[in-house]
Amino acid sequence: MTLQINTLVPHQILLAFLLLLLQAWWGNCHPQCLDYKPPFEPRQPLVFCKEYSKFGCCDLEKDEKLAFRFSTIMGNFDHLGYNICGKYIRSILCQECSPYAAHLYDAEDANTPMRMLPGLCGDYCSSYWHQCRYTLSLLLEDTGSPLQFANLTATLEEDRRRFCDFLELKDKQYCYPNVLTNAELNANLGSVREDPKGCLELCLQEVANGLRNPVAMIHADDGTQRFFVAEQLGYVWVYLANGSRIDRPFLNLTQAVLTTPWVGDERGFLCMALHPRFTTVRKAYVYYSVSIKKEERIRISEFMLSAHDDNQLDHSSERTILEVVEPASNHNGGQLLFGHDGYLYIFIGDGGRAGDPFGKFGNSQNKSTLLGKVLRIDIDNNDDGAPYSIPSDNPFLGENEARPEVYAYGVRNMWRCSIDRGDPLTGSGRGRMFCGDVGQNKYEEVDLIVKGGNYGWRAKEGFSCYDRKLCQNSSLDDILPIFAYPHKLGKSVTGGYIYRGCQMPNLNGLYIFGDFMSGRLMSLKENVITGEWQYNEICMGRDQTCRFPKLINSYYKYIISFAEDEAGELYFLATGAPSATARAGIIYKIVDPSRRAPPGKCSIKPSPVKIKGKLIPFYPKTEFVVNKKPTTTPVPTTTTRKTTTTTKKTPRKPIIIIKPPMPTRRTMRKSQLPKPTAPTRKTIQTTRKTTMRTTALPTTIKATTTIKTTSATTIKPTTLTTTIKMAMTTTPATTTPTGYRTTIMTTASSRTAQIPIITPSPTRRPLQNPPSTVSKPLTSPRPPPPASTTSSALQMALTSARYLDHSGALTTPRYYWSQKPTVSSYKPHRPLINTTLPKPQEEKLRLGEKLEKTEEGNQIHKRPRGWGTGHGYKRGRGGRRLRVGSVRLVSADGLSDRGRVEIFIGGEWGTVCDDLFTTKAGAVVCRQLGFRTALAVMKRAALGEADRTVRILLDDVECEGGERSLLGCKRSRVGKHNCSHAEDVGVICG
């Protein structure tokens, strides 16, 4: 008795843990598809699951697959059955298209198993059970697990409680169909989520890290999807589309750049721009601070691309385009960009100090100086002449004492500008230039730059007057910002971009920017009718909102710059330590978790890049939301149900199915039927309590078979065994028992009968002549046993019932739960199906966990002979020496494909902590053990924890998936950890 209790405890712990996880999700539902991505609006309307045409998780291709599966299932029904059960089958299948599919299938966490069928509400499940319970087997037969299909069919369909325990989602608000009527959920479905204060909830993806004050990120617009990241020190690095970085810098100006490690130093390498026709012109332009004879200057230089390497500039080709003397060390400006007109725009600060004190009106209002200006120059066709020329339509070209390069003036210290690509469909807004202009001591502003515009500094700061005398001058005629905010929101604006990408349609037209000092992310949305810009703050989505793979919901405070890639997706560059020498810079991609573009619309294939040197792979530093540990553990609410020992049938109206067998099952011809071993065939007859009539199919065979059964399924609380009784006689009958239950079940079971599935049961009474072989993996079925055994008679009865009715006509097979074996002369050609399902495994199936093997016994806990002790290593089975880094799965269930991960290091076995452990690390473990991959990684000791005598040897394991062992992964040193055995990681292999 003690042994039995010890065997059940681990299952109870596992079940409680999984229920705890589900309980944590309930009540926090958010839109998510089964591919762990946000829902979308299909490019073409759906035909089958029409209710999800506007917003959901299916495109037309997926919709057609579901329609075909529905047609295949419903091919087993007559008209009445079609009308009654069709609505249930269709609704259940279409939940894959629901915007809440991941919640309905318990798939919101990519690291845990998901359900085989969507979660139903209790009332709906009961109605489904009463009307069409035996269709469950048809829904399960394509799940890819024959074991689950056979056992669940046998144990669930006859018991409403078990049936609904398997299908029901306990959360009454978010189960189907209640999720469709939840007004709170569906009010703003597909819109950017807002918190109670109206803050837009977005998420992030980390794409680069370890950077020293990353000040700029640009792309070459050449189809390679690579991007170039500049550090304030003077390095520029090339990143490829897969996130890896080339080890050689694209540019290294560290010897020339003027900067210091001081926090807040504005000098340094500030920006870079590639020629708009970079693939042919092959030129780059840089903006950086230099010191010449103790005089600080801003230098704009031109570089040529190396003739030998497309990922490096020719450092000897530098040509100075323009230099501007800086009277102070701050307000350096620092933006370069090419407009749609092909000209180079340069944004220079007012010269520094406070309040632009230079001259009578300051540098910004003085058009004879380049400080405090937006410049526009033409750098084409400059190889043999002046470094640049003046565009003929520059606004002050003919004005006395005005510098011809000036395009706009009255700016203070514009930091980060961008040009609108325009609406993807209409082109509206294309070419507009947005800039963030850093304020003095009260306001920060965002400006829309136009030719010849005066932006008011130093007369105005934002909308308010700074220099009252200048502000009251009637000739000022300045352009007001589109938005300004006070210093209670932030003290140093960082200009951003209008989103025009493809992946997040909700963000189209949204201007996203930030503040360097406060770390706020902000947005502006234009009212096309009034021309006004509406402000909304952007905040990080809560953990549940951002619970998608690779997404995070936190970032470093100091927002340095914004960027966009070739496809128009938005990024921002931030750091945790604003020093030019601190490696605390990270690049984040902005992600909308509420909606995405339909699959296939935004697919981009990067052009190949020739690499010279090595690639440095990318490893994210921030913990993903899906891997974060809960800060609090909710207390689960459980109810105890009494176990019934006998299932009873519910009276129901018979539904006649007169269609032929499902087309996927091969119909056997007369010549293919099993031949008798005796001169005369015996007639098989059984008795059944309820008899129903049907019409036999027209094809006839001479042999006659009549089947009647007595249905009584006995389930014991401990072993859940099903007693199968089959009585065989030689008395023919005139009618064939059939109907809705019989035909539906036999149609599905005709396929199941072809697969050998035997689940051992310790209390099961053995057959008189059991097969000599034990159950094997489903991929290699064992041959049928001899025909002379009693088990053969049972198999034969099940098999022959599949093909013959009482008159010898080929018909849909019949399957009976309670059948009694007798001797038969027919030779079986299909193995026996055992419908016994041990209770712990059934509980796992209800939670959607895949079971691949059924062997009993825990071989891992047994200590094999020949294991060495005290020699720094141990020996495995047969005296085989264990290598350092060998792994094993310790399972209390006796399953060799799952269990707690233990690793052999320094002559002892120890556990691995679940911190940072993902399915990639699980794949390394599974491949060492001979499996193909890891189906799931179970955290928080879900598959059992080790006792105190076992050491924790590894922590913070991060694998790429291709390592030979966990020791080859990024990790803490052996024995160093900050966890307990309550965090031992488990793996399920497949």
Side-chain angles (χ1 to χ4, degrees):
M1 185 64 182
T2 304
L3 179 62
Q4 185 178 4
I5 293 175
N6 291 338
T7 303
L8 292 177
V9 167
H11 295 297
Q12 295 170 354
I13 294 174
L14 174 61
L15 180 60
F17 174 78
L18 293 177
L19 287 174
L20 192 63
L21 287 179
L22 296 179
Q23 183 72 21
W25 290 336
W26 296 336
N28 294 296
C29 184
H30 71 293
Q32 184 173 337
C33 300
L34 294 181
D35 61 356
Y36 309 113
K37 295 179 181 179
F40 54 89
E41 181 180 358
R43 302 175 74 178
Q44 296 174 291
L46 307 184
V47 177
F48 179 62
C49 302
K50 297 179 181 179
E51 61 269 38
Y52 301 113
S53 282
K54 290 186 178 180
F55 190 67
C57 294
C58 290
D59 55 10
L60 189 59
E61 181 181 359
K62 179 65 175 177
D63 184 65
E64 290 173 350
K65 290 180 180 179
L66 292 176
F68 176 77
R69 188 178 175 199
F70 175 80
S71 176
T72 301
I73 293 175
M74 300 313 293
N76 298 283
F77 291 79
D78 66 353
H79 180 72
L80 180 59
Y82 192 100
N83 289 338
I84 293 177
C85 298
K87 59 182 180 181
Y88 293 103
I89 301 296
R90 180 186 173 278
S91 296
I92 290 173
L93 291 178
C94 283
Q95 292 320 296
E96 291 188 35
C97 301
S98 168
Y100 298 103
H103 189 79
L104 292 170
Y105 282 85
D106 287 345
E108 288 179 296
D109 189 340
N111 297 318
T112 59
M114 69 179 185
R115 303 169 64 105
M116 291 178 287
L117 293 175
L120 307 180
C121 300
D123 295 341
Y124 185 85
C125 181
S126 295
S127 174
Y128 174 38
W129 184 83
H130 282 294
Q131 297 286 335
C132 300
R133 75 189 73 167
Y134 298 109
T135 59
L136 179 63
S137 56
L138 299 177
L139 288 168
L140 288 176
E141 65 179 338
D142 292 330
T143 58
S145 177
L147 175 61
Q148 290 175 339
F149 169 49
N151 287 311
L152 287 173
T153 297
T155 59
L156 298 180
E157 291 181 337
E158 290 295 337
D159 188 326
R160 184 185 62 80
R161 286 185 178 180
R162 292 183 182 277
F163 186 88
C164 286
D165 277 346
F166 175 71
L167 288 179
E168 188 178 348
L169 191 65
K170 303 302 180 183
D171 192 331
K172 295 182 179 180
Q173 285 185 305
Y174 301 117
C175 56
Y176 179 82
N178 291 0
V179 70
L180 299 176
T181 59
N182 191 323
E184 182 182 354
L185 274 181
N186 296 291
N188 298 303
L189 187 61
S191 301
V192 179
R193 195 184 187 103
E194 296 183 9
D195 71 359
K197 296 181 180 180
C199 184
L200 304 180
E201 293 187 347
L202 298 180
C203 306
L204 303 174
Q205 180 180 349
E206 182 182 336
V207 297
N209 54 39
L211 294 160
R212 292 160 292 195
N213 268 16
V215 292
M217 168 181 159
I218 61 173
H219 62 86
D221 199 22
D222 58 358
T224 62
Q225 306 299 318
R226 57 184 169 160
F227 53 87
F228 305 81
V229 178
E231 294 178 319
Q232 189 176 356
L233 276 177
Y235 289 107
V236 180
W237 304 99
V238 180
Y239 287 81
L240 302 185
N242 63 6
S244 59
R245 174 172 68 87
I246 300 176
D247 64 341
R248 300 178 180 180
F250 183 70
L251 181 63
N252 180 1
L253 289 181
T254 54
Q255 297 300 316
V257 169
L258 171 63
T259 190
T260 67
W262 304 338
V263 172
D265 193 339
E266 299 179 20
R267 301 167 299 180
F269 190 101
L270 301 180
C271 198
M272 184 176 73
L274 302 181
H275 195 282
R277 300 188 305 279
F278 183 65
T279 53
T280 56
V281 177
R282 301 169 68 85
K283 290 181 180 180
Y285 298 85
V286 298
Y287 185 127
Y288 63 99
S289 303
V290 294
S291 177
I292 300 177
K293 297 179 180 180
K294 298 183 179 180
E295 182 180 66
E296 294 184 11
R297 299 182 185 181
I298 291 169
R299 176 181 290 171
I300 288 87
S301 290
E302 176 186 86
F303 285 86
M304 295 291 296
L305 191 64
S306 171
H308 309 289
D309 190 349
D310 288 344
N311 295 298
Q312 252 188 350
L313 293 178
D314 182 355
H315 289 65
S316 64
S317 67
E318 181 176 10
R319 181 186 187 189
T320 300
I321 299 294
L322 180 67
E323 279 189 358
V324 180
V325 175
E326 272 281 356
S329 298
N330 58 345
H331 300 187
N332 302 287
Q335 180 72 52
L336 289 178
L337 57 82
F338 281 92
H340 289 170
D341 52 15
Y343 298 130
L344 179 63
Y345 289 79
I346 306 170
F347 299 78
I348 301 180
D350 65 5
R353 300 183 188 171
D356 192 9
F358 306 100
K360 185 177 180 180
F361 305 110
N363 286 327
S364 294
Q365 292 296 321
N366 181 4
K367 287 178 280 188
S368 64
T369 178
L370 298 181
L371 294 169
K373 307 294 187 301
V374 179
L375 311 181
R376 183 172 74 158
I377 60 176
D378 184 356
I379 46 78
D380 283 337
N381 304 315
N382 64 348
D383 293 337
D384 300 322
Y388 67 89
S389 60
I390 306 298
S392 58
D393 62 339
N394 268 15
F396 307 109
L397 187 59
E399 185 175 319
N400 291 334
E401 298 183 358
R403 292 291 299 262
E405 297 92 344
V406 175
Y407 181 77
Y409 65 105
V411 304
R412 182 177 180 272
N413 186 29
M414 287 193 163
W415 182 249
R416 293 301 167 250
C417 305
S418 63
I419 294 179
D420 187 1
R421 295 185 177 205
D423 185 270
L425 297 178
T426 65
S428 175
R430 177 177 170 80
R432 293 183 300 179
M433 190 179 298
F434 293 84
C435 281
D437 199 1
V438 180
Q440 179 65 45
N441 52 22
K442 288 185 178 180
Y443 296 98
E444 308 295 310
E445 66 182 70
V446 177
D447 295 307
L448 197 56
I449 304 300
V450 296
K451 182 170 68 174
N454 179 5
Y455 290 86
W457 178 249
R458 71 180 181 194
K460 287 184 179 179
E461 180 188 10
F463 294 101
S464 66
C465 289
Y466 178 80
D467 185 325
R468 295 192 176 276
K469 291 183 180 180
L470 284 177
C471 189
Q472 294 170 0
N473 189 330
S474 59
S475 64
L476 182 63
D477 193 25
D478 59 327
I479 297 174
L480 296 177
I482 62 172
F483 178 72
Y485 61 92
H487 277 191
K488 66 179 181 179
L489 293 182
K491 298 181 179 180
S492 181
V493 65
T494 301
Y497 283 79
I498 293 271
Y499 179 82
R500 299 299 189 187
C502 174
Q503 297 177 8
M504 290 160 285
N506 279 340
L507 303 185
N508 183 41
L510 202 67
Y511 179 73
I512 297 178
F513 63 108
D515 189 275
F516 176 79
M517 293 301 295
S518 68
R520 288 181 185 269
L521 284 170
M522 299 171 276
S523 72
L524 299 174
K525 182 75 172 180
E526 183 183 19
N527 185 322
V528 180
I529 299 176
T530 63
E532 296 179 351
W533 292 81
Q534 180 182 358
Y535 169 80
N536 271 100
E537 188 172 346
I538 293 174
C539 53
M540 293 294 96
R542 290 161 287 183
D543 281 2
Q544 187 67 18
T545 304
C546 296
R547 192 174 289 276
F548 296 90
K550 297 185 179 180
L551 294 194
I552 59 177
N553 58 354
S554 61
Y555 60 91
Y556 282 150
K557 171 184 176 181
Y558 300 102
I559 301 174
I560 301 176
S561 185
F562 284 80
E564 65 176 359
D565 61 18
E566 283 191 56
E569 303 304 323
L570 285 194
Y571 304 76
F572 70 90
L573 292 65
T575 184
S579 165
T581 58
R583 292 186 177 275
I586 295 183
I587 301 177
Y588 303 97
K589 181 180 180 180
I590 297 173
V591 178
D592 174 19
S594 63
R595 187 190 191 109
R596 61 167 156 150
K601 183 179 180 181
C602 307
S603 58
I604 297 174
K605 294 182 179 179
S607 302
V609 180
K610 294 181 180 180
I611 305 297
K612 292 187 177 181
K614 297 180 180 179
L615 287 179
I616 301 174
F618 167 65
Y619 297 101
K621 289 186 176 180
T622 312
E623 185 180 10
F624 297 142
V625 174
V626 292
N627 291 333
K628 282 184 179 178
K629 298 177 184 177
T631 54
T632 58
T633 303
V635 179
T637 57
T638 58
T639 57
T640 304
R641 292 181 176 178
K642 294 182 180 180
T643 305
T644 57
T645 58
T646 305
T647 58
K648 298 181 179 179
K649 289 197 224 175
T650 303
R652 55 191 175 275
K653 183 178 179 180
I655 302 174
I656 309 301
I657 305 174
I658 59 174
K659 292 194 174 184
M662 295 170 67
T664 56
R665 179 177 66 82
R666 187 178 67 178
T667 303
M668 297 187 69
R669 298 179 181 177
K670 176 180 177 182
S671 61
Q672 296 173 316
L673 290 174
K675 296 181 180 180
T677 57
T680 59
R681 296 184 179 181
K682 295 182 179 181
T683 304
I684 303 171
Q685 179 182 2
T686 59
T687 57
R688 176 186 168 96
K689 291 183 178 180
T690 306
T691 303
M692 305 176 188
R693 295 180 178 272
T694 186
T695 304
L697 297 180
T699 306
T700 59
I701 297 178
K702 292 181 180 180
T704 60
T705 304
T706 303
I707 301 176
K708 291 185 179 181
T709 62
T710 301
S711 180
T713 304
T714 303
I715 302 177
K716 296 182 179 181
T718 55
T719 61
L720 298 179
T721 57
T722 303
T723 304
I724 302 179
K725 298 180 180 179
M726 181 182 294
M728 296 185 178
T729 66
T730 57
T731 307
T734 56
T735 60
T736 303
T738 185
Y740 162 70
R741 172 190 187 270
T742 308
T743 315
I744 286 297
M745 284 311 307
T746 53
T747 303
S749 66
S750 65
R751 302 181 191 180
T752 313
Q754 303 174 19
I755 303 168
I757 304 168
I758 295 181
T759 305
S761 175
T763 60
R764 176 180 167 190
R765 190 174 182 180
L767 297 173
Q768 296 176 4
N769 294 302
S772 59
T773 57
V774 296
S775 60
K776 296 182 180 180
L778 298 176
T779 52
S780 77
R782 59 185 174 90
S788 60
T789 63
T790 306
S791 61
S792 302
L794 177 58
Q795 294 179 32
M796 192 243 96
L798 291 174
T799 304
S800 59
R802 297 176 57 225
Y803 299 109
L804 301 175
D805 67 0
H806 73 284
S807 62
L810 255 178
T811 184
T812 305
R814 287 154 181 78
Y815 184 78
Y816 300 92
W817 296 118
S818 300
Q819 297 173 334
K820 188 174 182 179
T822 188
V823 178
S824 170
S825 59
Y826 287 109
K827 184 179 295 185
H829 60 281
R830 290 290 184 270
L832 170 67
I833 299 177
N834 188 304
T835 56
T836 303
L837 185 66
K839 186 173 183 179
Q841 294 186 13
E842 184 207 0
E843 290 172 345
K844 291 182 183 180
L845 289 178
R846 183 168 64 84
L847 294 170
E849 207 172 307
K850 295 184 178 179
L851 298 179
E852 298 289 341
K853 299 185 178 182
T854 60
E855 290 85 1
E856 292 290 329
N858 188 354
Q859 300 297 331
I860 291 174
H861 289 305
K862 299 177 182 178
R863 185 180 179 91
R865 297 179 181 177
W867 281 40
T869 56
H871 298 289
Y873 63 88
K874 294 184 180 181
R875 293 189 181 272
R877 299 172 188 268
R880 179 176 57 87
R881 182 171 177 172
L882 292 174
R883 286 186 176 182
V884 175
S886 298
V887 290
R888 67 183 183 183
L889 299 181
V890 179
S891 170
D893 302 339
L895 299 174
S896 60
D897 65 340
R898 66 195 63 202
R900 176 178 68 250
V901 175
E902 292 195 359
I903 187 167
F904 183 73
I905 305 174
E908 66 175 323
W909 287 98
T911 64
V912 181
C913 191
D914 61 22
D915 289 337
L916 305 181
F917 201 97
T918 65
T919 51
K920 289 185 178 180
V924 174
V925 172
C926 291
R927 280 199 299 273
Q928 279 186 264
L929 298 173
F931 295 93
R932 294 182 62 184
T933 186
L935 298 178
V937 169
M938 307 298 291
K939 300 195 173 187
R940 310 292 289 180
L943 295 182
E945 60 181 88
D947 57 44
R948 296 181 180 179
T949 61
V950 179
R951 286 209 307 152
I952 301 172
L953 296 183
L954 290 186
D955 192 10
D956 296 330
V957 178
E958 296 181 83
C959 300
E960 285 298 298
E963 293 86 351
R964 296 184 62 181
S965 76
L966 296 181
L967 295 180
C969 303
K970 184 180 178 182
R971 56 180 172 79
S972 300
R973 63 181 176 85
V974 175
K976 182 180 180 181
H977 63 88
N978 59 353
C979 54
S980 67
H981 282 306
E983 298 167 271
D984 288 338
V985 70
V987 171
I988 301 176
C989 299

